[in-house]
Amino acid sequence: MGAIAAGLQACHTRIEAACRMAGRRPGEVGLLAVSKTFPAAAVREAWQAGQRAFGESYLQEAVAKLGELEGLPLDWHFIGPIQSNKTRPIAELFQWVHSIDRLKLAERLSAARPESLPSLNVLIQVNVGGEASKRGVAPDEALPLARAVMQLPRLRCRGFMTIPRPADDPMDERGQFAALRQIYEAARAAGLEVDTLSMGTSDDLEAAILEGATLVRIGTAIFGKRAPTEI
Ligand SMILES: *Cc1c(COP(=O)(O)O)cnc(C)c1O
């Protein structure tokens, strides 16, 4: 077995163990393979090992990679920051966007989403750690933004995403993940049809699954360490 297939298998094992610990069914948690900085060949190898959903953060890199992989039946998720003037290629090439942090961005994606494609699935990014350096709306703005995005014709708001403030012990991030889950539950209680909580990465997927993640975003544990030039 190649290193990428082994990495994927190890991730599935960790997800299953975390689900058992949380009293959840493993099928409740999806795995997004974050392929940023890795070449198309690495994505192809993961696809051959059964992986279907991939995440990218840098638009230029993603456009080139998706072009190389055209024809492969993959689901592409954009998970990085988005400039408002770069929405068109994202609306045309991706099935999901995890990084909605302002209405204007959502409006532009909706306007640019081709009629020939199904609605673009989007998540509201929430800054649960309150770090000035992190993207995402403040927790109390998440529900109002989700409501507004729900009104846009070509988007489907599926839930929420967060990148927490890192802790030395990943289990110390549970409070931040719980804060995102509370927003999600408040949205459901208010009648919003959301079904996705995107939280947890290579270092902290267990803590995220214990707090209700439905989609974990894993790069390093599948593809290996990224080059240090990476932002
Ligand atoms: C890079 C990235 C990941 C993957 O992180 P790893 O620690 O490599 O698993 C997850 N989410 C986002 C938003 C990222 O940019």
Side-chain angles (χ1 to χ4, degrees):
M1 192 189 305
I4 290 173
L8 277 167
Q9 196 174 73
C11 285
H12 286 297
T13 303
R14 282 175 67 188
I15 290 169
E16 282 160 26
C19 284
R20 264 197 307 280
M21 209 178 357
R24 303 178 60 194
R25 285 179 292 107
E28 291 175 25
V29 181
L31 172 56
L32 180 67
V34 178
S35 47
K36 65 182 181 203
T37 80
F38 290 96
V43 172
R44 200 177 284 280
E45 201 175 322
W47 169 71
Q48 278 161 349
Q51 180 64 27
R52 293 294 175 267
F54 293 86
E56 289 285 335
S57 296
Y58 312 112
L59 185 57
Q60 243 189 326
E61 177 199 346
V63 168
K65 202 179 297 182
L66 269 65
E68 283 185 65
L69 294 165
E70 214 180 326
L72 275 196
L74 305 178
D75 275 337
W76 288 102
H77 296 227
F78 196 84
I79 63 175
I82 303 174
Q83 290 170 264
S84 295
N85 62 347
K86 299 278 171 60
T87 44
R88 182 162 300 280
I90 293 175
E92 290 175 352
L93 292 170
F94 285 79
Q95 283 78 44
W96 288 74
V97 173
H98 291 220
S99 41
I100 302 293
D101 59 2
R102 55 202 190 275
L103 185 57
K104 181 170 188 75
L105 174 61
E107 287 170 344
R108 285 184 177 235
L109 286 168
S110 180
R113 183 66 169 173
E115 286 298 331
S116 58
L117 296 176
S119 295
L120 181 63
N121 299 295
V122 300
L123 303 174
I124 308 297
Q125 183 170 354
V126 185
N127 183 358
V128 290
E131 288 169 286
S133 62
K134 287 266 164 72
R135 301 251 175 174
V137 294
D140 63 349
E141 292 165 21
L143 197 49
L145 180 55
R147 274 188 207 284
V149 170
M150 294 263 178
Q151 305 304 315
L152 297 172
R154 301 294 294 132
L155 301 189
R156 189 166 163 219
C157 183
R158 300 287 296 267
F160 303 93
M161 175 275 232
T162 198
I163 304 171
R165 184 166 17 88
D168 289 338
D169 179 351
M171 281 300 162
D172 291 343
E173 294 168 15
R174 280 184 69 171
Q176 297 180 73
F177 291 136
L180 194 69
R181 190 193 56 214
Q182 277 163 20
I183 291 165
Y184 172 76
E185 281 170 3
R188 289 174 65 100
L192 273 63
E193 289 180 16
V194 290
D195 61 7
T196 304
L197 256 186
S198 166
M199 55 189 197
T201 60
S202 295
D203 288 335
D204 55 17
L205 73 90
E206 285 83 4
I209 289 172
L210 284 169
E211 296 300 342
T214 68
L215 185 60
V216 292
R217 309 181 304 267
I218 311 294
T220 310
I222 296 170
F223 297 106
K225 259 178 116 65
R226 286 182 292 275
T229 51
E230 198 254 320
I231 305 157

